[in-house]
Amino acid sequence: MEQNANRTWVVSGCSSGLGRCWTRSIIEDRQERVIGITRSHEAAETMRASLGERFIPCVADVRDAEELAARLAEAQRLAGRPSRVVTAAGYAQFGTLEDLSNEQIRAQFITNVEGTLNVIRPLLPELRKADDARILLVSSMSGVSCWPLLGAYQISKHGIEAVCSTLREELTDCGIQVGCLHPGPHKTGWADTYAQRQPVSASYSAEDLLRRASCGYPVQPPEASLPYFWRMFDASIMPRHLATNAEFAERARREAAQSMADWEADNGA
């Protein structure tokens, strides 16, 4: 288990769910510093009191690129140059694509995709100067597979997949490694506390959609994600994709194989 007391991380979405779990592990298990991005002054103060001086609050909204860049610059003056970035901020918008408005879909994209880029862009100049710089983008099972009622979220997480793949191509000569984590179901409040829901219209069977929207995989505590999280950073070569759920990893393999078979059949291969 590698430790570097001089290492600085940036973690968005640090005050809840997986982001909070990972922030605590970075500080308590590895004794490393975290610039934690959260919109809540209260949450920032609570985490600072709990985690001590290794937690450097960065109170900003990931949707506001200008404000976030300024706050990150201030935090780096206190914490030093970052070499690790984790983009865990985001939320889920439930509803059918027919029932959701363009504004709701756009809001989902702005937070989950633009917000991710707003974290990464201002940090790239310093990451280029760091040793073994790594960026972890947090996708989801919904970045690979699709279920009903999660269209807006799935659009955003498929977007994160494209962001990850593009950054890997664009940053390969800079020595910055980029990887994507696909969390399975965890007890984070993702589907209730932090979610937004659009009622299902009468054109659909809400009961049937809800049934089919459930993946059926076991819901695990956030701490169950830690071995996968640390593998992304401890491996000499950062994995390109890593799922925190074995059942979903197998599903993704089957879907990829079927997709290739369909492609070859449809295109006369």
Side-chain angles (χ1 to χ4, degrees):
M1 183 180 290
E2 179 192 1
Q3 293 184 359
N4 184 344
N6 294 318
R7 179 176 290 147
T8 298
W9 297 62
V10 174
V11 180
S12 70
C14 71
S15 60
S16 64
L18 296 176
R20 188 182 185 94
C21 172
W22 299 337
T23 295
R24 183 172 293 278
S25 181
I26 293 164
I27 293 173
E28 295 182 344
D29 298 337
R30 299 291 177 101
Q31 303 296 304
E32 298 174 358
R33 291 185 297 271
V34 175
I35 296 173
I37 302 172
T38 176
R39 291 183 296 170
S40 170
H41 286 276
E42 181 180 358
E45 292 172 3
T46 299
M47 294 186 72
R48 177 71 171 178
S50 173
L51 297 173
E53 62 183 12
R54 289 192 178 90
F55 179 78
I56 298 89
C58 178
V59 181
D61 190 328
V62 296
R63 297 172 297 182
D64 188 331
E66 185 174 344
E67 176 197 34
L68 179 58
R71 297 292 179 269
L72 282 171
E74 293 172 4
Q76 287 178 81
R77 284 192 284 272
L78 295 173
R81 174 181 298 145
S83 63
R84 300 284 190 270
V85 178
V86 180
T87 61
Y91 74 97
Q93 170 69 65
F94 286 82
T96 72
L97 287 178
E98 180 178 7
D99 293 326
L100 290 173
S101 67
N102 284 347
E103 288 73 19
Q104 288 171 306
I105 295 172
R106 190 175 299 119
Q108 179 83 114
F109 190 88
I110 288 171
T111 296
N112 292 6
V113 181
E114 290 185 18
T116 292
L117 289 169
N118 288 343
V119 172
I120 293 171
R121 285 195 196 104
L123 297 172
L124 287 176
E126 292 303 312
L127 289 173
R128 286 188 175 94
K129 303 172 188 175
D131 294 330
D132 189 26
R134 300 191 182 203
I135 301 171
L136 176 64
L137 290 90
V138 181
S139 180
S140 166
M141 296 191 306
S142 292
V144 178
S145 297
C146 289
W147 288 266
L149 296 178
L150 278 168
Y153 183 71
Q154 286 158 176
I155 289 169
S156 74
K157 289 302 183 179
H158 277 69
I160 290 297
E161 296 293 317
V163 170
C164 179
S165 295
T166 303
L167 286 175
R168 284 179 70 98
E169 293 293 331
E170 293 176 348
L171 299 177
T172 184
D173 294 334
C174 303
I176 301 174
Q177 297 195 62
V178 183
C180 205
L181 190 65
H182 303 272
H186 292 279
K187 297 176 182 178
T188 62
W190 167 85
D192 41 62
T193 305
Y194 304 107
Q196 297 187 17
R197 295 181 181 274
Q198 174 65 32
V200 176
S201 63
S203 302
Y204 296 91
S205 167
E207 182 178 350
D208 179 62
L209 289 179
L210 284 170
R211 178 184 58 79
R212 291 193 288 118
S214 174
C215 66
Y217 302 143
V219 180
Q220 299 177 311
E223 291 75 16
S225 69
L226 285 171
Y228 304 95
F229 174 81
W230 284 117
R231 181 179 166 191
M232 298 298 291
F233 293 100
D234 290 343
S236 58
I237 303 299
M238 193 176 194
R240 182 171 188 143
H241 299 285
L242 192 61
T244 70
N245 179 284
E247 294 91 341
F248 174 67
E250 179 56 36
R251 172 182 173 137
R253 282 191 286 268
R254 291 197 307 269
E255 289 188 352
Q258 185 61 55
S259 179
M260 286 304 302
D262 291 345
W263 177 270
E264 292 172 355
D266 293 343
N267 289 273

